[in-house]
Amino acid sequence: MVASYLTSELKEKFDKDGVVVIRKVFSADWLEKTKIAIEHNMASPSQYGEKVKGEGGSGSYFNDYLNWQRIPELLEYVYQSPAAEIAKFLTGSQRIVFYHEHVLVKEPNTTKTTPWHHDQSYYPLDGDQMCSIWMPVDHVSKSETLYFVKGSHKKGYFMPYKFATELPYPLSDPSKEERAVTFTPIPENIEEIGEVVGWEVAPGDCVVFAGKTVHGAPGNLSARPRRVLSTRWVGDDVVCAERPWVCSPPVTGNLKPGETFQQDDLFPYVDC
C-alpha cells in the first residue's frame, strides 16, 4: 500500500507537467541526517566536487555527487527514506533503481545562478521513467527556489550547459557533431518552451521532476544557506545511451548502449 500523499491526481499532474511539489514528506530525523551528510560531503568532497562563484557576492555554489556509498547517512537515505517509493510511484515503474545523489549548496550571498537545463542530456540515459527528488533542508523562498518549465519533458532533448561557465558542453570528438545537433539550444526567452513555475518550499517538502524537465535557479542572496539533497532514480524503460560529450556523472558501470539497468552495487534496485 502506497503512502497516502501518493494519489492518482499527483501522478496525473506529474505526467502532464513533468514536475510536482509534495509537502511534509520527510521527517525531522531525515532532515537531520541529511544535514550531517551534506556537512560531511562539503568537508570531504569527491573528485567531482566543485565550488563556483558568480560576479560579486561572498558566497559560493558547491555541488558534488557519487558519495552515497561512503557517507553512512546518504546510504541510509537511499534504502530507507520515502524517496524510492515516491520515485517508483511517479515514474510508474515496476522496479526503481537508484542512479546517484547530488548535493547542491548555495551559501548565503551567492550570486551564482543555475543555468536553464534538463538533467537527462548530461546523463548517458535514454527513456522516460527517470526522475529527480529535490529535497531542501533549509527554508527556500521563491527568490531562491528552483524553477521549472511545465511540459518541457515532452519536447525532446536540450543542450547541456556547464554550471561554472554556463556555456554548452564541448564535443568529446568532432565526429560526433551530427549527433549533437539533435539537442536543441535553450532559448534566451525560456517562456518560448512553456510556462515557468516554482514554489516556496520548507524543510520536509520535496519537488519531484522528470529527467527531461527544464529547470534553473537564481543565486541565493539571503542570509541563510540553501542546502539541497537531490536524488536521481530510473525505472524500467531507461537504457544506457551514448552522448556526444563527456557525461556527468561519467559512470555507466558495466552497461553498454541500449542495455537496461540490472541489479548491481553501483545502481541498486531499492525495494519499496
Side-chain angles (χ1 to χ4, degrees):
M1 186 173 182
V2 300
S4 60
Y5 53 80
L6 297 175
T7 64
S8 59
E9 291 79 12
L10 187 75
K11 176 73 166 67
E12 288 171 8
K13 187 170 182 59
F14 180 79
D15 291 343
K16 177 175 178 286
D17 295 345
V19 59
V20 291
V21 61
I22 312 176
R23 305 291 186 184
K24 299 179 180 179
V25 175
F26 292 90
S27 68
D29 185 49
W30 283 120
L31 293 170
E32 186 58 33
K33 288 176 179 178
T34 302
K35 289 177 185 178
I36 293 169
I38 291 172
E39 183 177 357
H40 183 160
N41 193 174
M42 293 187 73
S44 177
S46 77
Q47 62 180 310
Y48 305 115
E50 64 175 357
K51 290 185 78 169
V52 294
K53 294 188 71 171
E55 294 184 9
S58 58
S60 297
Y61 179 19
F62 172 86
N63 76 93
D64 196 8
Y65 48 59
L66 296 181
N67 295 290
W68 67 277
Q69 290 175 310
R70 70 179 180 91
I71 298 179
E73 292 81 9
L74 291 180
L75 186 65
E76 186 178 356
Y77 183 98
V78 169
Y79 286 103
Q80 297 183 31
S81 82
E85 183 184 31
I86 293 169
K88 181 180 178 183
F89 179 81
L90 289 178
T91 61
S93 181
Q94 294 299 305
R95 293 186 291 187
I96 199 70
V97 171
F98 179 67
Y99 182 45
H100 75 89
E101 94 297 337
H102 203 166
V103 167
L104 305 156
V105 178
K106 288 185 177 176
E107 298 172 342
N109 198 27
T110 295
T111 60
K112 188 73 184 82
T113 62
T114 304
W116 291 105
H117 68 288
H118 66 186
D119 294 343
Q120 222 162 311
S121 294
Y122 295 77
Y123 303 155
L125 305 176
D126 282 340
D128 295 324
Q129 290 177 311
M130 190 217 154
C131 73
S132 292
I133 301 176
W134 192 84
M135 190 203 79
V137 298
D138 303 293
H139 181 271
V140 181
S141 73
K142 290 195 75 173
S143 61
E144 297 106 38
T145 199
L146 195 60
Y147 285 86
F148 302 86
V149 183
K150 289 171 62 174
S152 56
H153 63 309
K154 298 180 179 180
K155 298 190 177 181
Y157 284 92
F158 291 90
M159 186 73 68
Y161 294 82
K162 290 282 187 181
F163 278 27
T165 64
E166 302 193 8
L167 295 174
Y169 263 43
L171 298 181
S172 57
D173 183 332
S175 67
K176 297 180 178 180
E177 184 173 1
E178 184 175 342
R179 177 77 176 96
V181 299
T182 63
F183 292 78
T184 306
I186 298 283
E188 188 171 330
N189 177 10
I190 197 65
E191 292 183 340
E192 290 179 17
I193 302 176
E195 179 188 355
V196 174
V197 294
W199 298 271
E200 180 174 359
V201 286
D205 300 344
C206 68
V207 182
V208 189
F209 55 98
K212 288 181 278 191
T213 299
V214 174
H215 55 285
N220 174 25
L221 300 183
S222 76
R224 61 180 176 269
R226 195 216 69 176
R227 295 170 293 176
V228 173
L229 174 64
S230 192
T231 50
R232 325 296 192 184
W233 304 84
V234 297
D236 300 327
D237 82 336
V238 177
V239 298
C240 184
E242 290 186 296
R243 294 285 183 257
W245 36 73
V246 176
C247 290
S248 174
V251 176
T252 57
N254 296 315
L255 288 175
K256 296 179 176 58
E259 291 183 343
T260 58
F261 282 79
Q262 305 298 322
Q263 173 65 30
D264 65 25
D265 291 339
L266 187 59
F267 306 119
Y269 288 127
V270 179
D271 292 330
C272 54

